[in-house]
Amino acid sequence: MKAKSFVLFAALAAFPAGVSSAFAQQATSLSLELNGAQPSDKGCRLTFVVANNLGADLTKAAFEIALFNEAGVVDRMTVLDFKELSAGKTKVTRFDLSGTTCSKISRVLVNSATECVGQGVEPAACMRDLKTSSKAGITFGV
């Protein structure tokens, strides 16, 4: 009986540590979702949903991206400035890319974080903890 009690106690004692460890890994991220790509008067409008789970406000977050055409060739590089991103908040941001046709974009690559500024935030955190996804039918990632 003592052996069963010890095993149960050990399992229960380890459970909170495992949960908090998994939560900490999940909580430290900057999620960037390419949510849409629609033609606009200026060219192509990309819509992003950003969730800052880095544990601190970002006073400035900007990323250099590369746009690949339908042949898989880099067609254009630009910097998208997401400005301020409050900790624990989700934000929707749109960027109009003049002279770009949405249907010709096959892939969007996050090349680097040109700005990642916030009190207590390492400059490398925006790339290191970046999680990407796409709902736009365009491949999106790092």
Side-chain angles (χ1 to χ4, degrees), residues 23-39:
F23 179 75
Q25 288 174 353
Q26 181 180 6
T28 306
S29 68
L30 183 62
S31 299
L32 189 55
E33 173 189 278
L34 177 56
N35 188 265
Q38 300 86 22

Side-chain angles (χ1 to χ4, degrees), residues 25-130:
Q25 288 174 353
Q26 181 180 6
T28 306
S29 68
L30 183 62
S31 299
L32 189 55
E33 173 189 278
L34 177 56
N35 188 265
Q38 300 86 22
S40 71
D41 294 340
K42 298 177 183 178
C44 182
R45 176 175 294 151
L46 297 181
T47 302
F48 291 90
V49 177
V50 186
N52 177 4
N53 292 311
L54 293 174
D57 292 343
L58 290 172
T59 55
K60 181 122 173 132
F63 297 90
E64 180 184 63
I65 64 162
L67 302 174
F68 291 77
N69 64 22
E70 62 274 355
V73 175
V74 174
D75 185 61
R76 179 177 179 177
M77 292 181 73
T78 190
V79 174
L80 303 180
D81 185 355
F82 289 86
K83 303 188 190 301
E84 305 87 25
L85 298 173
S86 300
K89 299 288 183 180
T90 300
K91 177 179 176 179
V92 175
T93 305
R94 290 183 169 160
F95 298 95
D96 284 309
L97 304 177
S98 62
T100 303
T101 305
C102 293
S103 62
K104 293 186 178 183
I105 301 172
S106 66
R107 178 179 173 203
V108 177
L109 172 80
V110 179
N111 204 39
S112 66
T114 58
E115 298 278 346
C116 183
V117 181
Q119 188 168 351
V121 176
E122 296 176 49
C126 288
M127 283 302 289
R128 180 189 64 228
D129 298 327
L130 184 63

